[in-house]
């Protein structure tokens, strides 16, 4: 059995690529949901103003992604 004597690597840097991929996928999904909400508001204008709906969706998704990113860092 070998031991890792390299103390320069922080113990939390093992899966940074996976974390980056997860955050980028969350961003893509968020943009798709925002685009779908804006498209729906354009097709059915009585639902809401398209940009207000998109801004609300993006704001909510941003807060969710922030919470997920904070949870991943811990």
């Amino acid at each position: 059995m070998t031991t890792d004597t390299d103390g320069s690597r922080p113990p939390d840097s093992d899966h940074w690529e996976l974390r980056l991929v997860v955050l980028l996928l969350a961003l893509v999904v968020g943009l798709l949901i925002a685009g779908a909400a804006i498209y729906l508001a354009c097709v059915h204008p009585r639902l809401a103003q398209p940009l207000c709906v998109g801004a609300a969706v993006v704001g909510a998704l941003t807060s969710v992604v922030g919470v997920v990113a904070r949870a991943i860092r811990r």
Side-chain angles (χ1 to χ4, degrees):
M1 175 155 63
T2 61
T3 59
D4 187 16
T5 58
D6 185 18
S8 65
R9 250 179 61 184
D12 207 21
S13 69
D14 291 338
H15 303 290
W16 67 271
E17 295 96 354
L18 180 62
R19 291 178 184 172
L20 180 64
V21 168
V22 168
L23 288 176
L24 288 175
L25 283 174
L27 178 67
V28 168
V29 169
L31 289 174
L32 284 172
I33 291 172
I38 291 172
Y39 174 75
L40 181 65
C42 285
V43 170
H44 302 287
R46 67 175 183 237
L47 294 177
Q49 297 285 335
L51 293 177
C52 293
V53 171
V57 170
V58 168
L61 288 174
T62 302
S63 63
V64 168
V65 168
V67 168
V68 169
R70 181 175 289 190
I72 288 176
R73 285 186 185 179
R74 289 185 183 189

